[in-house]
Amino acid sequence: MHVMDVYKRLPRINCGQCGKKTCMAFASEFIKGDLKLSDCTPLNTEEYEENRKRLEQILEKTGKAEETGLLIYEDLCNGCGNCVIACPVSAMNDEGAAGGKGPTEDDVVLKVVDGRVVLVDLEKCRRAEGDTRCRVCVQVCGKDAIKLV
Ligand code: SF4
Ligand code: SF4
Ligand code: SF4
């Protein structure tokens, strides 16, 4: 499940009722399995009923989110974008990542949205690749906001 599949079906009003500052942060936590659809109050109103049903269908298909092994401590992150720029997946897939505040597309693992880094697509992350296990994002983050477990 890609974070944008979730995000585009959320109310996208950044009301904060789920405990996250933005709907993008909610989407990122949701794909990790740390939040549930019921945590978004507006989504459970009649106005967003169609969106909720679609998200439930997506969830049924993909099943329970796996243990991610990449944790983001949102409160520590200052949105500097160093991890996004340094991540080899960003560098390979998106020229915008080299320019400063992050990529312009979503073919990346990490992305800065509204001043915080969010997990976009964990499947692309190379943290578990044998001897070359990547830890670059952790190493470049001066705020200890990313942990690989
Ligand atoms: S409660 Fe829902 S609409 Fe409000 S910020 Fe969270 S995800 Fe967005
Ligand atoms: S996780 Fe660290 S390196 Fe990445 S944007 Fe946040 S503070 Fe910067
Ligand atoms: S571990 Fe490596 S590939 Fe994964 S998000 Fe961090 S820098 Fe990118």
Side-chain angles (χ1 to χ4, degrees), residues 117-130:
V117 77
V118 296
L119 187 58
V120 174
D121 191 350
L122 188 67
E123 284 177 19
K124 293 190 171 66
C125 175
R126 301 174 183 177
R127 73 197 182 288
E129 284 182 12

Side-chain angles (χ1 to χ4, degrees), residues 70 83 86-89 109-110 124-127 134-138 146 148:
L70 192 159
C83 56
C87 173
V89 181
V109 183
L110 302 166
K124 293 190 171 66
C125 175
R126 301 174 183 177
R127 73 197 182 288
C134 179
R135 306 191 61 77
V136 169
C137 54
V138 176
I146 302 181
L148 299 178

